[in-house]
Amino acid sequence: MGFTDTILKEEVLTIRIHIIGGSGSGKSYVASLLSGKLGIPHYDLDDIFWHNQSNEYGVKAPEEERDRQLKEIIGFDSWIVEGVYRSWVEPSFAAADKIVVLMTTLPVQEERIWRRYEERITGIDPSKKRETLEGIHNLLTWNKDYNLIKLPDLISRWEYKDKMILVHNNLDLLELELI
């Protein structure tokens, strides 16, 4: 059997990673880096939670469509999903091999939220949604509650502790052996 008769198979990485953390914790950034490193697709849950055809900021997608899209994504062999959501993404938590919890400090998150807002309103980072100053203040308030109360509560009583990886420095995640 010669070289031309040999069938070369590329080993396909099979891993499912769910990344959570507060707004501005670096979920999208880390998901993009991991996606490149591991060669698997990543999905931003904001893209299926929010109604992307709406010109207004904060309009939710229909639940049936959102749930259908999530089911489709987690049906793939390999994926990285990222988002701040908890309740409706339970199927993703259950299907994930690893759940990464970004524990970025609140001041860093708040600085990133303000920077992202400024980049969007100045056009540096184009966004279809029209964010408002009031919306950013609401996000900051919500994010503080999420980081100081909701996320620690989730971590303390979570049934997925065996899958959970707590990360305080986001770039450390790239050095971890996830498989």
Side-chain angles (χ1 to χ4, degrees), residues 7-154:
I7 298 173
L8 299 175
K9 284 190 168 181
E10 184 178 319
E11 189 175 323
V12 177
L13 178 63
T14 303
I15 188 165
R16 295 168 302 275
I17 302 169
H18 190 122
I19 302 172
I20 64 171
S23 296
S25 64
K27 296 178 301 295
S28 299
Y29 177 72
V30 168
S32 179
L33 290 177
L34 273 179
S35 176
K37 177 182 178 183
L38 301 175
I40 60 176
H42 78 278
Y43 304 91
D44 182 340
L45 293 175
D46 279 349
D47 292 340
I48 64 175
F49 184 78
W50 299 108
H51 193 310
N52 293 321
Q53 277 61 42
S54 175
N55 289 328
E56 294 182 41
Y57 187 73
V59 177
K60 295 178 183 176
E63 287 183 21
E64 311 79 48
E65 178 60 17
R66 172 199 76 191
D67 294 346
R68 184 197 63 74
Q69 288 183 40
L70 180 64
K71 185 177 180 180
E72 181 181 331
I73 291 167
I74 66 172
F76 298 137
D77 290 336
S78 296
W79 43 260
I80 299 169
V81 297
E82 57 92 356
V84 72
Y85 309 100
R86 292 186 335 176
S87 59
W88 67 274
V89 296
E90 175 62 29
S92 177
F93 293 144
D97 299 309
K98 303 288 181 190
I99 301 171
V100 176
V101 182
L102 299 181
M103 303 294 291
T104 312
T105 65
L106 194 55
V108 168
Q109 289 180 37
E110 290 173 345
E111 178 185 326
R112 289 175 178 169
I113 290 168
W114 279 114
R115 185 175 348 127
R116 183 173 54 204
Y117 170 70
E118 290 170 2
E119 289 173 353
R120 287 179 178 169
I121 63 169
T122 60
I124 294 171
D125 179 12
S127 176
K128 294 184 292 185
K129 307 295 183 195
R130 297 289 168 230
E131 293 175 306
T132 64
L133 196 53
E134 178 185 1
I136 294 304
H137 284 289
N138 291 341
L139 176 60
L140 290 166
T141 300
W142 178 90
N143 198 52
K144 185 174 183 179
D145 179 63
Y146 177 84
N147 279 276
L148 299 179
I149 298 170
K150 292 178 182 170
L151 188 57
D153 181 57
L154 173 69

